[in-house]
Structures are given as C-alpha cells and as structure tokens.
Amino acid sequence: MNLGKYFKKIDETDAIKRYGKVLRVVGLMIESLGPEANIGEVCFIHSSAKNKSAVMAEVVGFNKEKLILMPYAEVTEIGPECLVESTGNPLTVKIGRSLIGRIVNSIGEPIDHSKLPKGLTNYLTEHAPPNPMERQPIAEPIQVGVRSIDSLLTVGKGQRIGIFAGSGVGKSTLLGMIARNSSADVNVIALVGERGREVREFIDNELGTEGLRKTIVVVATSDQPALMRIKGAYTATAISEYFRDLGYQVNLMMDSVTRVAMAQREVGLAIGEPPTTKGYTPSVFAALPKLLERTGTSEKGTITAFYTVLVDGDDMNEPIADSVRGILDGHFILDRKLAEQGQFPAINVLKSISRVMTKIVSQEHQEAAQQIRELMAVYEENSELIQIGAYKRGTNREIDRAISHHPKINAYLKQDTSDYQSFQDSINQMYELLYGGNS
C-alpha cells in the first residue's frame, strides 16, 4: 500500500488555527489585524460575551496589514481584541429543487423559523457571467401573462428587462402578476431593501399560494446591513443560475436594483471610495454590469430577468436608471399619470421597448403591434386639440381612426390583477381590436 500521498497531505496540512483580532469599529466597518484572508472571503468574529454566536462578516478591503470587514448582521457585543476567524471561502448557500416554495434570507436561511430541507448542495453566490460565445440567441417568446406586454412588448426567453417607475406606481403588483401567470418553470424573486410590512403583503396578496408553489423568495429588508442587501441580489441570481444549469426556464424578478446600488454605495463610502455622480461610488457602476450580465441565456437553459428600478421624482435619466437601461435588453416605463387615471398595469407603451421583439414574433404580430403604437402616437400628439374640441371629425383620416380606436385600446391595455391571459389569447384580442376578428 502506497502511503506516500497521505504523508504528503499531512505534511501540507497546517494544524495551527490562526486568528486575527478586532482593532476598531467605525460605522459599518470593522478593522482587524489578521487573519490571512482575501477579498470576498467570509470570516467569523467571536464575541467575548458568553452565549453569543459568532458574527458573520466579509472581507471587503484592506489597509496595509489590516483587514476591512463588513458584517452580515448587526454588530453587537463586539469589542477590542475580539477574535476573527477566516473560513478561507467566499459565501456559499444551499440550493436544490426542494427549496422551491420557500422564503429565505440573503445567506439562504429560512426566515419562517423552519428548517432547510435535506438534499441541498452548496453553491457559490458569485459567478462570472457566461461566455458571450456560449450564449444562445433569444429565439422564442415567453408568456408573461400581462396582455399589453405579451402583445406590444413581447419578451423572449432569456431576455433582461428593466421596469422603471417612481414609488407607488405598481411595480410590485406587476411582478406578482408575472410570477403567477408566466409560463416559466421556476420563479426566483429578490425583495431587496423592502419595508418589512411589504414582504408579507407581497407574498400573501400579490404572489398568493398559486404563485408561491413554483417560487423561491429571497428577502433582505431595508433594516438589514448593507452587505445583506447586496448579497440578497447575488443569492437570488445564484439560485437562478443553479436552475438554469439544470435546463429550467427561470424567471428572476428583483425589486429593486436601485436599492442594491444604494447598499453598494454605503459599502464603498465606508471603505473610503470617492463619491461621484449623485454620491454613487465607482464600485457601483462596476458591480451593476457584473450582476446583470449573469442572467440571460446559456447552453443549458434561460433566465428571463425583470429588474425594477426606483427612479427619484420620476426622473428616468438619473444615474442608476441610465446605467441599467444601457445594460439591459429593453425597458418598461410605468407612468404615474396613467396610474392616476386608473389604468393598470400603468405601462406607457410608447416610451417602452423590447429590443428582441422583432426577432421572436411573426410578421403579422409585428405589424399589428406597430399599427396600435401608431394609433396611440397619433392620438397622443393631437390629444390637446381633441380634448378641447378644436379638432373636427373628417379633417384628417389618421386622427379620425385614432379617435375611434382610442377607447378600445385603453380597454385592451387595462387588466385586472386576477385576470389570467395566455399568450395566444392576448394576440387574438389584439387582432380582434384592429380587424374585428381573429387574423
């Protein structure tokens, strides 16, 4: 029996456990002298208080020999010279098919006091985006279950869409509709920076029992440390990647990417990065494409991603909105004016775009959608004249047609949250609107 390899392994093993010690805590930042660790590795900070569990933290930077750590939980009972232990590994979470229907936090632990099911595998939360040459082209539509999207802003399997809106315009309600009505195999929903009250309301009211049956929800509320909010986005993306690699069609819904950027800004400022546009640090604009490019198509499956972007004061050109719009494959603009008029979903079709629609729908579908957009554009352009009665019927044939179709288009764009529409139903109703029957 050859024992040489075993002796070699014993010789290479370091039997001494090395610890660092906490030097100072300033705001979000914990500074320690040692142990040996690289950026991104998880450490445990052992409290000097009795019966206190160790605090998980991550190495986010270093200053000479000192490590800069960010905690995953609130920093309590930590004082000078508390021991810091390195795990030598980045954050991993437990993922598997039996996780479907569960609600977990950013580090993969159930938040309903239940235990994780058995048979899960450890999976890294951070991965590189797929090789561009290994991405399959987006070739077929996916049913979203929202009539205005399926017909006029058709989404493809593996497409990444931004949903841009101010607060209170219906982003979460729209995500709930998509989760319930979509034809995807699995939904992964990341609620990042949400109010604690909204989490239960979203799961009970918007998602419902039917939606939760094929969904994994990752929650990181606004009261949690910045690192937990960032990891919520990374964990949800990692879960989506796991199912994509199994060949599933996955929907990833993240509400909201703006709050992920805000959390990244907090971390960047704490470790000494200079603030740039509107106080956002350079690491924010470096992290966004790395996160958003991880979704999409691969050789095995697809992740169709919907990212909500919270825009301050309905300013669609603020830095995060502008950056995200440039990365994604399309955007839906939710209009406060439409919401105030009682239209739900409040999607401004004329300001929204799906960049892959022309490649995944039939010529007939494309022409019908274009006709409806033209009718809407003509009506909007002349709306003031029409509303004050200055326009006389018969003056312009296009405007007359736009006026006659306007009530029907408005009724078509409205959809009750409980109203299920299949992809083909939406298309047939669009043809009926234009031609008076199925085309």
Side-chain angles (χ1 to χ4, degrees):
M1 185 178 179
N2 183 15
L3 299 176
K5 61 179 180 180
Y6 297 105
F7 289 129
K8 185 180 178 184
K9 193 70 176 175
I10 291 169
D11 290 338
E12 290 173 353
T13 302
D14 188 355
I16 301 171
K17 193 75 173 174
R18 291 173 172 81
Y19 292 88
K21 62 179 181 179
V22 172
L23 296 180
R24 66 172 187 155
V25 178
V26 180
L28 304 173
M29 182 183 71
I30 300 171
E31 202 171 89
S32 76
L33 184 62
E36 287 185 12
N38 298 321
I39 289 178
E41 288 184 7
V42 174
C43 294
F44 286 102
I45 304 172
H46 297 275
S47 172
S48 54
K50 290 182 179 179
N51 302 322
K52 285 286 180 180
S53 57
V55 175
M56 274 182 73
E58 186 176 303
V59 181
V60 295
F62 56 88
N63 180 14
K64 296 180 181 178
E65 299 87 9
K66 299 169 188 172
L67 295 182
I68 300 172
L69 303 159
M70 286 279 175
Y72 285 103
E74 292 297 330
V75 180
T76 55
E77 308 293 342
I78 289 180
E81 300 195 357
C82 281
L83 295 179
V84 181
E85 176 189 358
S86 173
T87 62
N89 297 305
L91 180 67
T92 60
V93 293
K94 291 186 178 296
I95 306 175
R97 288 185 181 90
S98 53
L99 203 62
I100 297 172
R102 307 297 290 269
I103 302 155
V104 298
N105 64 12
S106 299
I107 54 177
E109 297 171 341
I111 62 171
D112 56 359
H113 307 297
S114 63
K115 291 183 178 180
L116 277 175
K118 293 180 180 178
L120 303 179
T121 56
N122 286 320
Y123 201 77
L124 285 170
T125 59
E126 295 196 35
H127 293 270
N131 185 320
M133 296 307 294
E134 293 175 1
R135 285 189 185 272
Q136 299 300 308
I138 298 170
E140 57 180 308
I142 186 171
Q143 175 185 300
V144 172
V146 179
R147 192 162 48 224
S148 55
I149 295 174
D150 281 340
S151 57
L152 303 175
L153 299 161
T154 312
V155 176
K157 290 180 181 177
Q159 188 173 352
R160 299 160 305 145
I161 291 286
I163 300 173
F164 294 75
S167 55
V169 187
K171 296 185 302 301
S172 298
T173 309
L174 180 58
L175 289 185
M177 276 186 77
I178 294 170
R180 291 195 308 274
N181 299 341
S182 170
S183 61
D185 302 319
V186 180
N187 295 315
V188 180
I189 301 178
L191 301 177
V192 180
E194 291 288 318
R195 304 175 190 92
R197 172 185 64 82
E198 291 179 331
V199 173
R200 185 65 182 268
E201 286 183 3
F202 176 83
I203 292 166
D204 290 349
N205 302 335
E206 313 300 348
L207 193 57
T209 309
E210 190 65 32
L212 187 59
R213 194 170 289 130
K214 64 170 187 176
T215 302
I216 300 168
V217 184
V218 180
V219 176
T221 50
S222 57
D223 59 297
Q224 293 183 352
L227 200 60
M228 279 291 267
R229 282 175 272 144
I230 294 169
K231 292 300 174 185
Y234 283 89
T235 296
T237 306
I239 293 170
S240 304
E241 288 171 324
Y242 173 84
F243 285 103
R244 176 179 65 185
D245 291 345
L246 293 178
Y248 284 73
Q249 310 293 333
V250 185
N251 270 355
L252 169 63
M253 285 162 272
M254 191 176 294
D255 187 15
S256 73
V257 76
T258 308
R259 294 192 176 110
V260 177
M262 288 176 173
Q264 184 66 50
R265 176 174 63 183
E266 286 181 45
V267 172
L269 292 173
I271 62 175
E273 277 192 85
T276 53
T277 315
K278 282 202 173 180
Y280 288 103
T281 57
S283 63
V284 174
F285 300 102
L288 280 175
K290 289 179 182 175
L291 175 64
L292 304 182
E293 284 288 349
R294 286 171 60 182
T295 54
T297 60
S298 75
E299 290 181 315
K300 297 174 182 175
T302 65
I303 301 173
T304 307
F306 299 88
Y307 298 99
T308 69
V309 181
L310 186 64
V311 288
D312 294 332
D314 296 326
D315 175 16
M316 298 298 166
N317 295 315
E318 60 98 28
I320 299 303
D322 203 41
S323 179
V324 170
R325 191 166 49 237
I327 297 166
L328 299 179
D329 309 318
H331 53 269
F332 301 158
I333 306 293
L334 300 191
D335 195 324
R336 191 176 297 279
K337 186 179 175 184
L338 293 175
E340 288 167 353
Q341 292 170 358
Q343 178 178 317
F344 181 83
I347 299 171
N348 188 321
V349 173
L350 294 177
K351 290 183 179 177
S352 305
I353 189 170
S354 170
R355 292 181 183 169
V356 304
M357 179 177 173
T358 55
K359 299 168 188 170
I360 59 173
V361 299
S362 66
Q363 186 68 28
E364 190 179 31
H365 179 169
Q366 193 175 322
E367 287 172 1
Q370 187 58 35
Q371 279 191 57
I372 289 180
R373 291 178 80 100
E374 286 171 2
L375 290 168
M376 293 174 71
V378 168
Y379 187 91
E380 188 166 312
E381 194 176 329
N382 298 278
S383 60
E384 289 186 8
L385 290 174
I386 297 165
Q387 286 166 8
I388 63 173
Y391 175 76
K392 291 184 179 179
R393 290 265 182 148
T395 308
N396 185 296
R397 195 176 185 181
E398 284 187 10
I399 298 175
D400 288 347
R401 189 162 180 255
I403 292 171
S404 66
H405 277 82
H406 181 66
K408 290 187 282 184
I409 292 172
N410 274 357
Y412 177 77
L413 295 177
K414 288 181 183 178
Q415 184 175 344
D416 191 78
T417 54
S418 59
D419 182 12
Y420 171 79
Q421 291 281 317
S422 72
F423 184 84
Q424 195 57 50
D425 285 345
S426 299
I427 308 309
N428 291 341
Q429 288 176 38
M430 177 176 64
Y431 291 151
E432 191 173 346
L433 187 159
L434 282 172
Y435 311 123
N438 290 0
S439 176

